[in-house]
Amino acid sequence: MKDPVCGMTVDPATAKWRHEHDDHTFFFCNPRCRERFIADPAKYLEPSPPSATPTGVEYTCPMHPEIVRTGPGACPKCGMALEPKIAQASSGDGEEDAELRDMRRRFVVSAVLSAPLLALGMSEMIPSLEHALRESAASALTWLELALATPVVLWGGWPFFQRAWASLIHRSPNMFTLIALGTGTAFVYSLVATLTPGAFPDSVRGHGGAVPVYFEAASVITALVLLGQVLELRARSRTGHAIRALLALAPKTARKITAEGDVDVPLEHVHIGDRLRVRPGEKIPVDGACVDGRSNVDESMVTGEPMAVEKRAGDRLIGGTVNGAGSLVLEAQRVGRDTLLARIVQMVGEAQRTRTRIQRVADVTASYFVPAVVVAALLAFAVWMFAGPEPRLAHALLAAVAVLIIACPCALGLATPMSIMVGTGRGASEGILFKNAEALERLSQVDTVVIDKTGTLTEGKPRLIAVVALDDPRASAQGEEADILSVAAALESASEHPLAAPIVAEARARHRSILSVAAFTSKPGRGVVGTVSGKQAAVGNRALLTELGVDVAELVKSSESFRAKGHTVVFIAIDEHPAGFIAIADPVKESSHQAIRALRDEGLRVVMLTGDARAAAEAVAREVGIDELEAEVLPEQKEAAVRKLQDAGRKVAMAGDGINDAPALARADVGIAMGTGTDVAMESAGITLVRGDLRGILGARRLSEATMRNIRQNLFFAFVYNALGVPIAAGALYPLFGVLLSPMLASLAMTASSVSVIGNALRLRHASLVNPKKD
């Protein structure tokens, strides 16, 4: 290792001077360097690249994502506890747990103090017992209730009063406004009745001339609301399970290869270009390219693919995946927030904080809801006060408090964001990344799927299919396929054309040496020419060989069957005579046949859109079962084709993977990018399929349908609950059954409504993304 101050090499095994800083050990060549480091460590430490799990976490509200704070707290609009934008990898370290612990502590204390209050309140149901208690110590019992209720309401319920006050300041009344009004009214009324009972008229007095107090109602309601907060916080923490599971995939350290040997360093100290060793069974620390070694890597945690993938020099490695039995050396290419895993976490987190159009309707409704509830409570109070039975004031107060408590808008506000959070998290676990909630909503409405060919239907990696040598005595390499391949590989090794790679790779796979090339010349759009082993050679299309005066008739005739299948044919000439040709094809993905069939079975219209030659496009279309296609289209023409479908009234999803697909992806109602494609495509799309498998479209569509169905269920329940609850709390059942809803039961019902909405949203974690009737 190197001394961080002077840069001299230090052997950790024999170093005499060391210092622990931020859980890391630094070694020094002399005590003076150590002292200088201790005086100002930041001066000698390299700045760390952005990490996938930053220490400075921002907090936001799941119902109001525009609210962003640098620390935990409550949302000024709805009063809900803020949560970190990126969930902590370990739930035990999250600040949200501090909120949960605080609420749990307040609930336990409030429940203990409320139990005797509830017992005293229940004594009213036994007239002889209540009369005996009141006759013996009426004043003492009232003061005991005050002593028990005060810490519950003022300490246990203090967060509710804080949030209610904040809602008034920000002119955004919410559930805590109603809770504070209800409990505060009951407590203040009881407090006044205890301190100045003589100020109340005889008409409101009960047995023995005592003024009734409602300390038990205020206390028990506070305890029940605290219980609801505890249950809600626990349930909400489960919605972040998907992100925490993704974050947990990333290892904490990497084994860096240095001149002094291998050294374990924190992941945040890995830079682009560093070489890292991954031993058998270890997690790959960052994204990069394998430069040495060979092994099978389990990528199922990121891609969902159950089979391990063989990796060798030149292959891509994904951070967070698990190495098999072999040892690998990788060169870091993406670190910190640029890794695929970090980008997945970011996309999931951002999608969970976006809103659907249906949520905006709920938001507008909720903005009018609280004022309407306050008006309803005042009306209930007035009706009971002037037209109700004796004691009128008591009945009026109970009805108003019950209305305020039961009409909590929490269930209405949670209906959509909870479903979105769970749905996008479920998608991430299946390799389906939603960029925003709008994409999740729109996908369920799509009736047309437009699909690119290269890299989407096909593997996007051209593969050599055949090498055919002509038996032409004029050619220097007559009848020898291996010699033809060697000549082509020699020229193509100096070319940057995409078709060059499979030719060179096949030559190496056949253990053919790559010959040297002289006088190499590239002919853009046609091919390459040069001198190989003293012979003039040309590799390219028909136009190139015609330009060089080569008779291509036999080559064209011999390659007809390959071209009919949509394969790309590369002609080879040696010493101005036709020598043979190479057929190259981009194989169709094995999953494409099943995916297209499943999409059509779903009643979706499938259209292929590609810039490739029509013959190649038609061959692939026939193979996978696509009837509609447009070939030889430019990027702007792809965008125009999508727009044309939209103008015809179609809801279009576009699936692609390349830069040329970006305009069409952005134009489509829903853009779907292959995770194996370009960054530009993924940025332009609303959905990314990490595996690059078209079958993911079906899973994404079914998840979209399940999520929207779940949202509608939540909203229906929230509206019905309030439509029934408010009249009952106001006393609608009293004329028929003589029943007046207790504020305590109203509080319990309010808690149950919020928890039931969250529980229904959590069902999406286990929703089936497979149609058993068709798959």
Side-chain angles (χ1 to χ4, degrees):
M1 297 185 67
K2 292 186 178 181
D3 185 322
V5 176
C6 66
M8 291 187 62
T9 301
V10 182
D11 185 359
T14 59
K16 297 180 180 179
W17 299 279
R18 64 183 65 192
H19 177 67
E20 298 286 338
H21 178 76
D22 286 346
D23 297 328
H24 304 306
T25 303
F26 296 90
F27 301 91
F28 306 88
C29 60
N30 60 65
R32 180 175 297 177
C33 286
R34 180 176 180 271
E35 293 172 0
R36 291 170 61 186
F37 179 87
I38 294 175
D40 188 6
K43 181 178 179 181
Y44 304 103
L45 293 178
E46 295 181 11
S48 299
S51 171
T53 56
T55 57
V57 181
E58 292 184 329
Y59 288 75
T60 186
C61 173
M63 288 171 57
H64 300 91
E66 69 275 11
I67 301 297
V68 179
R69 298 290 184 268
T70 56
C75 174
K77 288 189 174 183
C78 66
M80 290 181 62
L82 301 180
E83 57 187 28
K85 278 190 172 183
I86 299 180
Q88 308 299 320
S90 172
S91 60
D93 298 334
E95 289 290 348
E96 187 176 7
D97 283 349
E99 172 80 10
L100 178 57
R101 287 194 297 270
D102 179 62
M103 286 295 177
R104 186 186 292 116
R105 181 171 59 251
R106 293 177 187 270
F107 164 69
V108 171
V109 174
S110 298
V112 170
L113 295 177
S114 297
L117 278 170
L118 183 60
L120 290 173
M122 294 291 288
S123 69
E124 296 181 2
M125 301 177 64
I126 307 176
S128 59
L129 176 60
E130 192 274 337
H131 180 72
L133 290 172
R134 293 294 175 185
E135 286 293 328
S136 61
S139 178
L141 286 176
T142 302
W143 283 97
L144 176 60
E145 290 180 3
L146 172 61
L148 292 172
T150 299
V152 175
V153 176
L154 298 186
W155 176 77
W158 183 246
F160 307 149
F161 290 104
Q162 285 182 314
R163 296 173 186 184
W165 180 250
S167 73
L168 296 177
I169 293 177
H170 292 87
R171 298 180 181 179
S172 179
N174 52 52
M175 60 173 284
F176 295 104
T177 311
L178 303 180
I179 292 169
L181 283 173
T183 57
T185 299
F187 181 79
V188 171
Y189 168 84
S190 302
L191 179 62
V192 174
T194 302
L195 297 178
T196 59
F200 290 81
D202 294 338
S203 61
V204 301
R205 297 179 184 274
H207 298 292
V211 179
V213 292
Y214 302 100
F215 288 121
E216 81 282 357
S219 180
V220 173
I221 288 172
T222 300
L224 288 173
V225 174
L226 285 169
L227 173 61
Q229 289 295 293
V230 171
L231 295 176
E232 181 182 311
L233 287 170
R234 288 180 59 184
R236 282 170 55 190
S237 69
R238 294 171 62 189
T239 64
H241 171 77
I243 291 184
R244 289 193 297 273
L246 288 169
L247 286 171
L249 295 177
K252 304 300 181 184
T253 61
R255 193 165 185 82
K256 184 177 178 179
I257 301 175
T258 67
E260 292 77 29
D262 294 353
V263 180
D264 287 330
V265 299
L267 196 62
E268 60 266 22
H269 290 171
V270 175
H271 297 78
I272 296 176
D274 288 348
R275 293 207 168 190
L276 310 173
R277 191 181 307 280
V278 185
R279 293 171 293 188
E282 291 184 336
K283 289 184 177 181
I284 294 171
V286 297
D287 294 0
C290 178
V291 295
D292 190 24
R294 185 171 181 174
S295 181
N296 290 325
V297 176
D298 179 2
E299 297 183 339
S300 61
M301 303 83 107
V302 175
T303 65
E305 181 60 45
M307 296 296 294
V309 182
E310 183 180 2
K311 299 291 183 180
R312 63 181 76 183
D315 289 340
R316 184 182 72 156
L317 296 173
I318 303 173
T321 56
V322 180
N323 184 27
S327 179
L328 298 172
V329 175
L330 74 93
E331 181 177 308
Q333 295 178 337
R334 290 181 174 177
V335 300
R337 289 192 177 127
D338 293 331
T339 64
L340 175 62
L341 182 59
R343 291 164 66 198
I344 290 175
V345 171
Q346 182 180 5
M347 286 183 68
V348 175
E350 290 179 350
Q352 291 181 341
R353 295 189 298 275
T354 56
R355 297 184 173 196
T356 62
R357 287 173 290 180
I358 194 172
Q359 184 178 350
R360 299 188 188 105
V361 176
D363 290 342
V364 173
T365 303
S367 66
Y368 294 100
F369 187 77
V370 174
V373 170
V374 173
V375 172
L378 293 174
L379 287 174
F381 182 89
V383 171
W384 278 97
M385 189 66 189
F386 297 105
E390 296 291 348
R392 293 180 177 179
L393 178 60
H395 284 138
L397 182 64
L398 289 177
V401 172
V403 169
L404 290 171
I405 297 301
I406 201 171
C408 171
C410 187
L412 181 62
L414 287 173
T416 299
M418 289 299 106
S419 298
I420 293 297
M421 290 178 69
V422 180
T424 52
R426 173 66 195 282
S429 66
E430 298 290 336
I432 304 167
L433 305 181
F434 292 93
K435 190 174 185 179
N436 50 51
E438 191 171 2
L440 179 63
E441 180 180 21
R442 286 185 174 182
L443 186 59
S444 63
Q445 304 166 358
V446 163
D447 56 22
T448 302
V449 179
V450 176
I451 302 177
D452 174 52
K453 182 180 78 71
T454 306
T456 305
L457 284 168
T458 66
E459 294 181 359
K461 298 178 180 178
R463 187 182 303 170
L464 191 145
I465 299 299
V467 180
V468 177
L470 295 184
D471 189 12
D472 189 336
R474 298 172 298 173
S476 302
Q478 52 179 325
E480 295 291 339
E481 294 180 358
D483 292 340
I484 294 294
L485 179 61
S486 294
V487 171
L491 284 173
E492 295 291 7
S493 65
S495 172
E496 296 181 354
H497 195 278
L499 296 180
I503 295 175
V504 175
E506 182 66 19
R508 287 174 175 164
R510 297 189 185 187
H511 305 290
R512 303 294 297 182
S513 59
I514 305 301
L515 305 174
S516 59
V517 180
F520 174 84
T521 303
S522 175
K523 304 285 188 178
R526 290 165 291 173
V528 293
V529 296
T531 302
V532 180
S533 299
K535 302 180 179 64
Q536 296 294 321
V539 178
N541 56 22
R542 180 176 181 176
L544 174 65
L545 268 62
T546 301
E547 178 184 322
L548 297 176
V550 178
D551 183 4
V552 296
E554 184 63 24
L555 288 173
V556 171
K557 181 180 179 181
S558 300
S559 63
E560 180 63 31
S561 61
F562 292 98
R563 289 187 288 113
K565 295 178 181 179
H567 298 165
T568 299
V569 175
V570 178
F571 297 133
I572 303 166
I574 298 177
D575 288 335
E576 299 184 354
H577 297 293
F581 63 87
I582 293 175
I584 298 174
D586 184 6
V588 174
K589 294 178 182 178
E590 294 182 5
S591 60
S592 294
H593 305 81
Q594 182 181 354
I596 297 303
R597 183 171 59 253
L599 288 171
R600 297 183 65 175
D601 289 344
E602 289 284 319
L604 298 173
R605 176 182 177 185
V606 181
V607 180
M608 179 197 291
L609 207 59
T610 179
D612 283 359
R614 175 163 294 277
E618 290 177 344
V620 172
R622 283 194 302 271
E623 183 174 350
V624 300
I626 295 178
D627 299 325
E628 297 183 65
L629 69 91
E630 291 188 39
E632 300 176 356
V633 292
L634 299 175
E636 58 271 20
Q637 293 173 323
K638 286 188 177 183
E639 188 269 345
V642 171
R643 187 171 63 248
K644 181 180 179 180
L645 288 168
Q646 291 174 325
D647 291 342
R650 312 293 295 192
K651 297 293 183 181
V652 181
M654 167 71 188
D657 77 321
I659 294 176
N660 62 330
D661 298 319
L665 290 171
R667 161 61 63 178
D669 294 281
V670 180
I672 303 173
M674 302 294 108
T676 52
T678 64
D679 292 345
V680 174
M682 286 185 277
E683 287 296 324
S684 302
I687 300 174
T688 298
L689 305 180
V690 176
R691 305 180 210 175
D693 187 339
L694 280 176
R695 289 176 297 186
I697 297 179
L698 269 298
R701 180 177 170 82
R702 288 167 187 164
L703 179 59
S704 171
E705 292 173 341
T707 302
M708 297 311 300
R709 184 166 56 249
N710 193 273
I711 290 174
R712 287 191 289 269
Q713 291 168 352
N714 285 344
L715 290 174
F716 175 80
F717 174 80
F719 281 116
V720 170
Y721 164 81
N722 285 292
L724 295 177
V726 171
I728 292 175
L733 299 180
Y734 190 86
L736 299 175
F737 305 103
V739 175
L740 182 62
L741 185 67
S742 166
M744 289 180 285
L745 293 178
S747 178
L748 186 61
M750 178 268 293
T751 297
S753 70
S754 300
V755 174
S756 62
V757 164
I758 298 175
N760 187 49
L762 288 173
R763 291 193 308 112
L764 287 171
R765 296 173 60 183
H766 308 290
S768 174
L769 303 186
V770 176
N771 188 338
K773 297 181 180 180
K774 297 178 180 178
D775 296 336

